Amino acid sequence: MAYNALKGIQDILPPDIHIWQKIESVAREVFQRYGFQEIRIPIIESTDIFIRSIGETTDIVEKEMYTFPDKAGRSITMRPEGTAPAVRCYVEHHLYNLPSPQKFFYSGPMFRYERPQKGRFRQFYQIGVEAFGVSQPSIDAEVIAMLKNLLEGIGLKEVNFELNSIGCEKCRPDYKNALLKFFENRLSDFCPDCQRRYNTNPLRILDCKVERCIELRKGAPAVAEHLCGNCREHFNELVSRLDLMKISYTLNPNLVRGLDYYTRTTFEVTSEHLGAQKAVAAGGRYDRLVEEFGGPSTPAIGFAIGMERIATLLKEIWSDEHPSPKIFIATLGKEAEIEGFRIAEDLRAKGFWVEPNYAGASLKSQLRKADRIGAELALIIGENELKAGKIQWKNLKKGEQGEVEIKDIQAILTDNIQPSNP
RNA sequence: GUGGGCGUAGCUCAAUGGCAGAGCACUGGACUGUGGCUCCAGUGGUUGCGGGUUCAAUCCCCGUCGCCCACCCCA
């Protein structure tokens, strides 16, 4: 084997690709009902865009970005996530001048230079949505409902919605200070990672899995108690909307997003059927980001779905469903092969998936192939049939067989198979 | 970046310091032009790569590359 795909980067082939297509088609259908329109945005951007939005001290920016100089020496980065490019797009095209809200979705690969593991890759695919221009919590609830409908639409069950508010630029600093104060004099008892987090992202200490740290942080100030009036009201309203829609969720005060731009609402959908990387979708508000990118103050909210993780879950549900040919044409001899070629084109024009026999082979091996590729109907053309202007047909699922004049093929097809493939 | 596990046929995996195997898949035959089931045969390997120990290494040792899982972090 001369070449392999790069570490953490994988090919997606049939039959897996059919699961991906299913996810994408359901997503499009759901997004349309909620008025989210597709945008196509680049996979490379100026490096600054990600540093400014995600945060200079985050792991993503510090060590996970594919960054390189282009031929003119500009620093280019392959997008590690989609929100920052979407916001850049929104501001660049002055979309804030259009009626508010503007709601978009996009899909495609993201890139992070990480050590791969279950559910984590260096090139991974997301479907992302962003809604600009609404500060009311109703859109938070709507976006979460849309995500729920999407996941249900593709048949995904047994997922948990987790919800939190991390406050706004007014109340988050207060909370952070309260947290720092709480950890200050017992910091040396925490694990090395938490001691590092104390400086980089103290909210993350709340999420540490080390048992000693879990014990030590009991009694730490809760974010809910430090939200300002507006943020508390926003969160309460969101929660009551979700209750109204009978969407079940778990309040998780430790749900901290790693990206700097998040404000207020954060949420995550997790599954227990995955490995350590169990979030299948996640998102939140980023009310400051548009302004930071040079646009007018514009609230916004979005989420991203991890395609590989969803596909992993769906693989179990969607085990053997994949498209297969409807008709196989088996022929014996050059003349028959040419006639079969003509019939194949005719049937394809009528919308059927037709597989011919390309190379000469025994009828036995041709029918074996027809069976193995999952064809429903075999058409057999040999010397005898050519002379008589007829073909043999065989229903491979039922085992029934018969003979029909070539001009009457259509009747056999409608008796034996569906008129077209999905 | 850190830690652990694993690399043998297309796939899933055996094996022993002494001829490298099975199942599945693929091709053909039993059945001159009729699939699935059965039976038979065939194709397919520098045992990831490099070095070392040894009369002899797929096996033991060292290095290296790759994959997997976990930590960190995140979709």
Side-chain angles (χ1 to χ4, degrees):
Chain A
M1 178 71 74
Y3 295 109
N4 294 327
L6 298 176
K7 182 196 279 284
I9 296 181
Q10 52 178 2
D11 301 309
I12 302 145
L13 308 174
D16 286 0
I17 195 69
H18 302 119
I19 294 174
W20 285 59
Q21 289 169 339
K22 171 72 177 175
I23 297 168
E24 285 161 2
S25 72
V26 169
R28 280 173 191 280
E29 189 272 322
V30 173
F31 293 157
Q32 188 175 25
R33 283 190 270 146
Y34 283 84
F36 283 70
Q37 296 189 282
E38 182 169 15
I39 53 174
R40 306 249 170 145
I41 49 180
I43 61 172
I44 55 175
E45 297 272 0
S46 293
T47 301
D48 302 348
I49 282 175
F50 300 110
I51 297 177
R52 283 285 301 279
S53 57
I54 298 169
E56 221 157 339
T57 62
T58 57
D59 274 20
I60 291 178
V61 168
E62 277 187 342
K63 44 192 197 198
E64 295 176 2
M65 295 206 301
Y66 280 90
T67 295
F68 58 92
D70 72 5
K71 298 203 182 219
R74 292 173 282 248
S75 183
I76 307 296
T77 291
M78 298 171 73
R79 63 182 185 194
E81 59 104 39
T83 296
V87 171
R88 193 270 308 144
C89 167
Y90 178 81
V91 173
E92 178 172 341
H93 299 285
H94 313 292
L95 301 182
Y96 41 79
N97 288 330
L98 296 173
S100 189
Q102 289 291 309
K103 300 181 280 192
F104 302 110
F105 77 91
Y106 50 86
S107 68
M110 308 293 166
F111 304 85
R112 290 181 201 170
Y113 192 86
E114 298 180 272
R115 207 61 178 261
Q117 69 183 84
K118 190 176 177 65
R120 188 167 68 185
F121 309 94
R122 289 185 171 178
Q123 174 172 337
F124 59 101
Y125 289 76
Q126 290 186 340
I127 299 178
V129 314
E130 318 288 348
F132 297 96
V134 179
S135 60
Q136 281 77 11
S138 55
I139 201 160
D140 303 41
E142 193 176 276
V143 157
I144 290 170
M146 180 169 79
L147 177 55
K148 176 174 178 279
N149 286 328
L150 195 168
L151 296 176
E152 277 181 4
I154 57 179
L156 209 57
K157 297 184 175 76
E158 297 181 37
V159 293
N160 322 303
F161 278 73
E162 295 182 30
L163 197 62
N164 193 25
S165 175
I166 56 170
C168 62
E169 75 274 16
K170 290 197 196 77
C171 50
R172 186 149 46 151
D174 292 343
Y175 177 58
K176 201 167 160 182
N177 285 335
L179 222 44
L180 290 176
K181 207 166 185 183
F182 177 84
F183 291 129
E184 202 173 22
N185 39 17
R186 58 199 101 186
L187 190 60
S188 55
D189 295 336
F190 281 84
C191 73
D193 279 327
C194 280
Q195 298 190 28
R196 181 177 50 78
R197 289 176 180 122
Y198 180 85
N199 294 313
T200 56
N201 192 349
L203 277 66
R204 278 245 161 259
I205 299 177
L206 299 173
D207 210 23
C208 183
K209 299 177 196 83
V210 177
E211 228 164 276
R212 179 163 175 77
C213 297
I214 295 173
E215 195 62 33
L216 283 167
R217 70 174 181 239
K218 280 184 177 164
V223 69
E225 289 148 22
H226 286 262
L227 293 180
C228 65
N230 288 341
C231 284
R232 189 179 303 126
E233 199 181 320
H234 184 98
F235 193 62
N236 289 343
E237 173 72 17
L238 166 58
V239 163
S240 73
R241 290 282 173 125
L242 295 179
D243 292 338
L244 189 73
M245 294 187 289
K246 298 196 164 42
I247 294 175
S248 51
Y249 54 85
T250 308
L251 294 182
N252 180 0
N254 301 334
L255 179 61
V256 175
R257 312 267 63 230
L259 289 61
D260 277 3
Y261 54 63
Y262 282 112
T263 56
R264 290 191 165 172
T265 310
T266 61
F267 57 95
E268 197 166 289
V269 183
T270 59
S271 166
E272 297 306 320
H273 300 290
L274 292 169
Q277 311 306 321
K278 59 181 188 172
V280 299
R285 262 195 182 274
Y286 46 95
D287 289 339
R288 306 288 309 152
L289 196 53
V290 171
E291 193 171 357
E292 272 188 36
F293 271 48
S297 174
T298 306
I301 183 169
F303 65 75
I305 299 168
M307 286 291 284
E308 290 84 354
R309 296 180 187 178
I310 301 264
T312 298
L313 293 173
L314 283 187
K315 229 182 249 188
E316 289 155 28
I317 307 172
W318 279 71
S319 50
D320 279 315
E321 285 185 58
H322 56 268
S324 60
K326 294 291 178 187
I327 301 167
F328 185 89
I329 299 184
T331 58
L332 292 163
K334 179 77 174 174
E335 263 183 79
E337 190 271 323
I338 292 172
E339 177 65 0
F341 185 86
R342 188 191 65 74
I343 293 173
E345 281 300 294
D346 184 47
L347 295 176
R348 285 163 175 159
K350 294 184 165 79
F352 295 100
W353 179 357
V354 182
E355 286 295 328
N357 172 56
Y358 293 101
S362 69
L363 183 59
K364 178 188 183 62
S365 71
Q366 290 186 51
L367 285 177
R368 186 188 300 153
K369 182 194 270 188
D371 184 57
R372 293 195 179 159
I373 65 177
E376 291 179 25
L377 187 73
L379 300 180
I380 303 164
I381 309 169
E383 283 175 32
N384 301 340
E385 288 76 15
L386 273 182
K387 273 181 206 151
K390 294 177 174 176
I391 59 170
Q392 300 283 330
W393 60 267
K394 183 163 192 173
N395 185 319
L396 295 169
K397 306 291 181 195
K398 297 179 187 166
E400 293 165 359
Q401 183 166 356
E403 194 176 58
V404 68
E405 303 225 349
I406 289 177
K407 62 182 169 58
D408 295 330
I409 287 179
Q410 185 77 43
I412 292 306
L413 300 183
T414 49
D415 284 353
N416 284 279
I417 56 179
Q418 298 298 311
S420 64
N421 271 290

